[in-house]
């Protein structure tokens, strides 16, 4: 069966071929996911990322359920301690011989402010669960990537982004963080409080401690309609600047058949 993983790995091979000819091809074949032993000589169980290209045999695995448990782990667990989200990063950000620290038990909405349109969320929340939780309080995130398997912290830590003119990556919509440092301190930071730590930890690759909570600046919940159609390349290129300039229109007449590059939400008089 062709999976998204196979397509993406195949794509990497094509890129390698394009960039490096036969040498590139050898590099790609060498990087195909290996069939790894389930345990190492010490009986440690293997961890692999989504692509299967990165792995390690952590000495300890931990999944704290509270800030206090997390802080205690940071002080005592075997190092290096590496936080892991959904393991969807392609690079070797997570593998460790020390402690693999999952935030899978620290999930869900903590609080929200309906006037300021903010929501504080536990960092291990998957994007797939975050959308419905925010919808229930009338909020949505301004931008999202193309899948929803990631954790909020993991996605933020790598500047995960979607597309759209003027929209930032996920960390751009964050107003405050709760972080547990390698020394086991529980620290709150924001643009105004400990701003250097805040800006570093937003896209911190798990290097500044473990994120426990994230406060998001959201927008009011809206309904959007997705429309997919084939468009002539020349028409698309011609209309591109106007299309790219259009944002946040959510009402309007249905698209007319055969009208070329037109969106369902485009006003009638713009035709
Ligand atoms: C199929 C697929 C589609 C993708 N689509 C997109 C896309 O559309 N746009 C895009 O920009 N990217 C995309 N990505 C990349 C993906 O969003 C990032 O790799 C993201 O980091 C994965 O999140 P994760 O929860 O799996 O984090 P992980 O891969 O588990 O970890 C990523 C980093 O975050 C750190 N981390 C995890 N939890 C914490 C925490 N609590 N505190 C501090 N640090 C932490 C880890 O240590 C690591 O450094 C895609 C990846 C895949 C496999």
């Amino acid at each position: 069966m062709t999976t998204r993983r196979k397509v993406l790995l195949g794509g990497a091979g094509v890129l390698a071929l394009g960039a490096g000819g036969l040498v590139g091809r050898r590099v790609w074949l060498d990087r195909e996911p290996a069939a790894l032993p389930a345990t190492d000589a010490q009986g440690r169980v293997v961890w692999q990322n989504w692509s299967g290209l990165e792995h390690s045999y952590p000495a300890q695995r931990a999944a704290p359920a509270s800030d206090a448990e997390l802080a205690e782990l940071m002080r005592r667990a075997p190092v290096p301690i590496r936080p892991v989200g959904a393991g969807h990063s392609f690079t070797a950000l997570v593998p460790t011989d020390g402690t693999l620290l999952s935030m899978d038990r620290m999930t869900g909405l903590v609080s929200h402010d309906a006037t300021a349109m903010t929501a504080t969320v536990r960092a291990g929340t998957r994007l797939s669960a975050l959308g419905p939780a925010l919808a229930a309080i009338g909020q949505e995130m301004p931008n999202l990537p193309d899948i929803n398997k990631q954790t909020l912290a993991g996605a933020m830590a790598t500047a995960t982004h979607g597309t759209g003119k003027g929209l930032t990556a996920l960390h751009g919509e964050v107003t405050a963080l709760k972080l547990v440092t390698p020394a086991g301190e529980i620290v709150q930071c924001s643009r105004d409080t400990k701003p250097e730590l805040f800006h570093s930890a937003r896209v911190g690759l798990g290097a500044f401690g473990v994120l426990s909570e994230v406060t998001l600046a959201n927008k009011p919940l809206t309904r959007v309609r997705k429309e997919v159609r084939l468009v002539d390349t020349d028409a698309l290129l011609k209309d591109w600047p106007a299309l790219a300039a259009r944002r946040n229109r959510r009402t309007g007449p249905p698209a007319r058949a055969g009208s070329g590059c037109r969106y369902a939400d485009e006003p009638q008089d713009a035709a």
Side-chain angles (χ1 to χ4, degrees):
M1 191 176 76
T2 298
T3 63
R4 186 186 174 103
R5 187 193 323 252
K6 283 182 188 163
V7 170
L8 282 178
L9 291 173
V14 171
L15 284 176
L17 270 172
L22 286 176
V23 174
R25 180 186 172 81
R26 270 202 300 277
V27 169
W28 173 48
L29 292 175
D30 286 349
R31 293 283 291 161
E32 279 190 90
L36 295 163
T39 56
D40 70 1
Q42 286 86 42
R44 299 169 173 180
V45 176
V46 70
W47 176 87
Q48 281 182 281
N49 70 344
W50 176 87
S51 69
L53 294 174
E54 301 296 340
H55 76 279
S56 66
Y57 292 89
Q60 182 174 319
R61 291 172 189 238
S66 67
D67 290 337
E69 277 183 39
L70 174 55
E72 183 63 14
L73 276 163
M74 295 296 271
R75 284 190 286 265
R76 311 238 179 272
V79 292
I81 299 172
R82 292 303 298 156
V84 62
H88 273 54
S89 287
F90 292 95
T91 49
L93 291 168
V94 171
T96 176
D97 297 331
T99 301
L100 188 67
L101 198 152
S102 162
M103 294 293 283
D104 274 353
R105 295 171 69 207
M106 294 182 70
T107 63
L109 187 69
V110 178
S111 62
H112 75 284
D113 181 329
T115 309
M117 258 312 136
T118 59
T120 299
V121 180
R122 289 189 192 87
T125 307
R126 304 275 167 150
L127 298 184
S128 55
L130 183 53
L134 293 179
I137 55 166
Q139 298 188 12
E140 67 184 22
M141 291 169 73
N143 198 3
L144 286 166
D146 72 341
I147 60 161
N148 61 8
K149 309 295 180 201
Q150 303 97 324
T151 62
L152 178 58
M156 248 184 58
T158 57
T160 290
H161 55 85
T163 57
K165 190 178 178 189
L167 295 171
T168 72
L170 260 56
H171 66 280
E173 308 295 345
V174 171
T175 63
L177 297 173
K178 190 198 278 183
L179 182 76
V180 181
T181 68
E185 291 169 299
I186 301 171
V187 181
Q188 300 271 2
C189 59
S190 68
R191 287 177 199 278
D192 303 319
T193 308
K194 301 188 190 339
E196 287 179 357
L197 180 62
F198 172 71
H199 291 300
S200 306
R202 277 196 300 171
V203 189
L205 306 174
F208 294 88
V210 178
L211 294 169
S212 157
E213 289 177 11
V214 177
T215 302
L216 296 165
N218 293 318
K219 59 197 206 45
L221 184 66
T222 51
R223 283 179 71 86
V224 292
R225 189 169 71 194
K226 176 178 171 183
E227 187 179 313
V228 179
R229 68 166 82 181
L230 290 174
V231 175
D232 178 73
T233 306
D234 290 337
L236 176 66
L237 293 176
K238 182 170 150 291
D239 289 350
W240 184 252
L243 288 170
R246 293 177 49 216
R247 294 175 60 197
N248 298 329
R249 290 211 186 113
R250 290 187 175 81
T251 55
R256 278 153 290 173
S259 60
C261 191
R262 191 159 292 137
Y263 278 53
D265 62 348
E266 191 167 14
Q268 197 84 46
D269 60 3

